[in-house]
Amino acid sequence: MTTSATTRDRKLLDELRGAVGGRHVLTSARATARFRKGYRTGEGPAIAVVRPGSLVELWRAVRACVAADVSIIMQASNTGLTGGSTPDGDDYPGGLVIISTTRLSALKVIRGGEQVVCLPGTTLYALEAALRPYGREPHSVIGSSCLGASVVGGVCNNSGGSLIRRGPAYTQLALYAQVQGDGTLRLLNHLGIALGDEPETLLARLERGEFTEADIDPADDRWAHDHSYAAHVRDIDSDVPARFNADPRCLFEAAGSAGKLIVFAVRLDTFAREEETTTFYIGTRQPDRLTALRRTMLRDFDTLPIAGEYMHAEAFDIADRYGRDMFFAIERLGTDRLPALFAAKSRFDALFAGLFGNGLSDRLMQWSSRFIPDHLPPRMREYRARFDHHLILKVPREQVEAARALLGELFPGGSEADHFECTAQEAAKAFLHRFVAAGAAVRYRAVHRDKVEDIVALDVALPRNTRQWVEQLPAELAARTVHTLYYGHFFCQVFHQDYIVTKGTDPLAFEHALWALLDARGAQYPAEHNVGHLYVARPELARFYREIDPRNQLNPGIGHTPRGRDWNDHACAGAHGEHP
């Protein structure tokens, strides 16, 4: 680092400490480790990690970073799977500052519970809890919420979630700051709430909730969720996937912005909670039966199902063995404690990495999981012994009888296909088992580093008219895998595909070979976890990033785009390869 850069960094650190307080500007490698390393992938150095405690502090911190011309990464709970909210290497223009928003967790329920305003650190769990007295629920209610993910993070990444009717997280109502092409910072209030014009006054009023219902514009001409998705997903003969990150339908200001804007708040619709539901557990050795179920329900049923979560037998087994302690923690402790648990885990690993290498906490937790009693219902275990393909189907009260009739026809019992109606406890355990699968793959890698090179993780959106959705890996690729894990949101045709590859395999070459296979099938990827640093942003997505961050100072390099200011080529840009 040059003397001028060192002087600039010292001046910047002084300004950041003045903005948020000295104890919330972290600079040591140990203190910043859990912010600089991604949950599944990504790592790099940072000048500092800044943890503002108010929207005004966030504004001041961002303004100082923009003026100092350092690169900025916004981060909430750091639960992303593609490395999009953590550094990727050490070549960021001007150096890098990570701004963590976890202290900015307030929310405001408005319009009688029909809408909500969420600050950057609001978690899905907190939003679920706040809406419960209103008989309402947010866009996503399980899955990401189990990992402490933020509401704003979901919007910025067009996260999909498990609920069939709702599509990707989306809003046209947001309050955000944008770095202009000339290097100035501009605050734009598109929340539809009258708060004044002066930035710090406006932000303080919003955070304190100093506005009335009269200050809220109904904004009926702007969407606070994707109103068209229910009809969109029913178009089962379309050769375009139902939802994916590069879909121009859902790229609008904060929605899909992937850290290229500083989002202070979003305004979202809420949804009436389904009080009387029924969950069916389905098993089959013939995936065509699941195809027929999906197409029939989407085409013919008056009401869409609530959720339909798929899991292949191999994913079932890995989640069973390597996700058992996470299952136990969520079931016994609740999701609200998970962010603190992850933070403690990261601190523990940072403390002992020098003595015991990476992943000590994972190895210890895996060893201790053998003492946890069997956590899965007997009927689920019986179905695992009988069937390769598993589906958890949740339907509303008015759909139960029609679903029973269709399931009786397609999954009548016997060795090829069967189903049962879950008790409340079986339903909760089935969904929870499905949602620990992603973390289970990470655990497997940590425990078996001697035979595992890495995880190649894809989230894939298949065309809505796809009938042959089960992937058939070529022999040369199958030989390079220890395990292949398939699970996902079946009715949306969004699948998470984790390939645990053998030691010595080049993960990048393996991934590029998979891309070619997916392109041939008309797939779009990523589907809902955003490009991060694993995927190449498709042209329409890259154009959107350029439009909202013309200076390229926020999250530069995302989606393998250039890292240089003003989108100029950078020394390391494109080093990871290009999309075929």
Side-chain angles (χ1 to χ4, degrees):
M1 182 181 294
T2 65
T3 301
S4 60
T6 302
T7 302
R8 181 213 59 188
D9 290 352
R10 288 174 179 165
K11 181 175 182 293
L12 173 60
L13 290 172
D14 286 343
E15 291 187 30
L16 292 173
R17 290 182 182 114
V20 307
R23 66 188 294 251
H24 295 298
V25 178
L26 312 179
T27 57
S28 73
R30 179 175 294 179
T32 61
R34 66 188 178 98
F35 302 91
R36 294 185 294 102
K37 183 176 176 61
Y39 172 67
R40 178 179 273 181
T41 186
E43 187 172 9
I47 298 169
V49 173
V50 184
R51 303 182 64 241
S54 72
L55 294 183
V56 171
E57 289 184 4
L58 173 57
W59 169 256
R60 292 173 179 173
V62 172
R63 190 173 55 190
C65 291
V66 170
D69 198 24
V70 298
S71 298
I72 303 167
I73 288 180
M74 299 298 297
Q75 183 185 99
S77 301
N78 193 11
T79 58
L81 300 181
T82 60
S85 59
T86 47
D88 181 57
D90 59 1
D91 58 343
Y92 285 85
L96 177 68
V97 170
I98 299 169
I99 300 180
S100 170
T101 63
T102 54
R103 297 177 64 213
L104 305 174
S105 57
L107 63 91
K108 176 76 170 178
V109 178
I110 62 175
R111 307 189 75 188
E114 292 185 359
Q115 288 188 327
V116 65
V117 175
C118 295
L119 301 196
T122 305
T123 64
L124 282 169
Y125 174 85
L127 181 54
E128 281 187 62
L131 292 176
R132 199 168 291 125
Y134 295 86
R136 311 285 293 183
E137 62 186 19
H139 167 271
S140 299
V141 296
I142 194 168
S144 296
S145 56
C146 287
L147 298 176
S150 71
V151 176
V152 168
V155 171
C156 292
N157 291 307
N158 285 144
S159 298
S162 65
L163 300 177
I164 297 167
R165 307 171 189 175
R166 299 180 190 174
Y170 179 75
T171 186
Q172 297 174 348
L173 300 165
L175 171 64
Y176 61 91
Q178 182 179 46
V179 180
Q180 306 295 293
D182 61 1
T184 58
L185 189 66
R186 181 187 179 196
L187 187 68
L188 295 102
N189 179 12
H190 293 169
L191 277 177
I193 301 176
L195 296 163
D197 298 319
E198 197 280 320
E200 293 197 3
T201 301
L202 183 159
L203 293 169
R205 284 190 62 195
L206 175 64
E207 190 161 16
R208 291 194 296 263
E210 292 181 357
F211 57 89
T212 67
E213 290 292 323
D215 296 317
I216 301 172
D217 184 342
D220 294 330
D221 58 336
R222 287 175 287 167
W223 287 1
H225 80 276
D226 183 359
H227 290 250
S228 65
Y229 188 75
H232 182 72
V233 75
R234 283 186 183 271
D235 187 0
I236 58 175
D237 294 318
S238 171
D239 60 2
V240 177
R243 54 180 169 90
F244 53 96
N245 285 129
D247 188 351
R249 292 176 59 255
C250 294
L251 299 177
F252 186 89
E253 296 179 354
S257 59
K260 304 298 286 182
L261 296 171
I262 307 295
V263 181
F264 289 86
V266 294
R267 177 175 160 189
L268 298 166
D269 288 334
T270 67
F271 303 86
R273 188 168 65 239
E274 302 270 5
E275 297 291 355
E276 297 182 39
T277 64
T278 299
T279 297
F280 298 93
Y281 196 93
I282 301 161
T284 184
R285 297 170 62 185
Q286 299 174 329
D288 286 351
R289 292 177 183 265
L290 293 177
T291 303
L293 175 70
R294 171 183 169 270
R295 291 180 63 85
T296 300
M297 295 190 82
L298 291 180
R299 183 188 61 228
D300 299 339
F301 278 34
D302 292 336
T303 304
L304 287 175
I306 297 169
E309 292 297 297
Y310 170 78
M311 201 172 198
H312 186 266
E314 195 165 359
F316 185 111
D317 292 344
I318 295 298
D320 181 15
R321 183 171 178 182
Y322 295 92
R324 179 172 294 203
D325 57 304
M326 180 57 68
F327 184 108
F328 183 81
I330 294 171
E331 189 175 52
R332 299 300 175 89
L333 301 178
T335 57
D336 58 327
R337 299 187 184 181
L338 286 189
L341 182 64
F342 278 119
K345 178 179 179 295
S346 296
R347 287 193 292 267
F348 180 89
D349 283 336
L351 182 64
F352 291 103
L355 294 174
F356 300 101
N358 294 324
L360 177 61
S361 64
D362 281 297
R363 296 195 297 272
L364 289 174
M365 287 190 290
Q366 186 59 34
W367 174 82
S368 66
S369 69
R370 70 182 67 186
F371 302 107
I372 297 174
D374 191 1
H375 58 300
L376 296 181
R379 288 201 286 184
M380 281 180 63
R381 292 221 173 271
E382 183 217 342
Y383 269 49
R384 168 58 192 95
R386 295 167 59 192
F387 304 117
D388 294 328
H389 303 281
H390 299 244
L391 184 73
I392 312 160
L393 177 65
K394 185 177 182 179
V395 301
R397 176 182 56 188
E398 63 269 25
Q399 198 181 61
V400 173
E401 291 305 321
R404 282 177 181 149
L406 182 59
L407 291 173
E409 177 185 337
L410 292 174
F411 306 91
S415 62
E416 299 301 322
D418 204 350
H419 73 282
F420 65 83
E421 199 165 318
C422 296
T423 65
Q425 184 182 54
E426 286 174 327
K429 286 179 177 289
F431 278 111
L432 186 50
H433 181 60
R434 152 66 185 88
F435 286 113
V436 300
V442 177
R443 171 66 57 76
Y444 187 96
R445 177 182 60 184
V447 173
H448 298 287
R449 289 190 179 272
D450 57 330
K451 63 178 182 179
V452 170
E453 186 66 33
D454 207 347
I455 302 169
V456 175
L458 301 177
D459 63 298
V460 175
L462 297 179
R464 281 166 282 173
N465 63 359
T466 298
R467 293 175 184 264
Q468 303 301 319
W469 50 271
V470 177
E471 182 176 67
Q472 300 295 326
L473 273 184
E476 63 271 19
L477 293 181
R480 289 288 185 179
T481 64
V482 181
H483 291 289
T484 53
L485 312 181
Y486 299 101
Y487 50 98
H489 314 304
F490 186 68
F491 282 75
C492 301
Q493 290 285 272
V494 167
F495 294 94
H496 303 291
Q497 302 179 177
D498 296 344
Y499 308 83
I500 304 175
V501 298
T502 57
K503 201 73 173 177
T505 296
D506 180 350
L508 187 61
F510 188 94
E511 184 174 8
H512 285 188
L514 293 172
W515 287 354
L517 296 175
L518 291 169
D519 289 342
R521 300 173 69 191
Q524 288 276 357
Y525 49 94
E528 61 179 6
H529 288 157
N530 224 317
V531 289
H533 293 288
L534 295 183
Y535 299 91
V536 175
R538 294 182 182 270
E540 55 269 43
L541 187 59
R543 281 195 296 271
F544 176 65
Y545 292 160
R546 286 174 181 259
E547 290 170 3
I548 62 176
D549 182 18
R551 184 149 173 76
N552 199 25
Q553 193 167 352
L554 300 172
N555 217 353
I558 197 81
H560 297 187
T561 57
R563 290 199 181 184
R565 291 289 181 262
D566 304 315
W567 298 88
N568 291 319
D569 289 337
H570 187 263
C572 294
H576 303 291
E578 297 181 354
H579 193 283

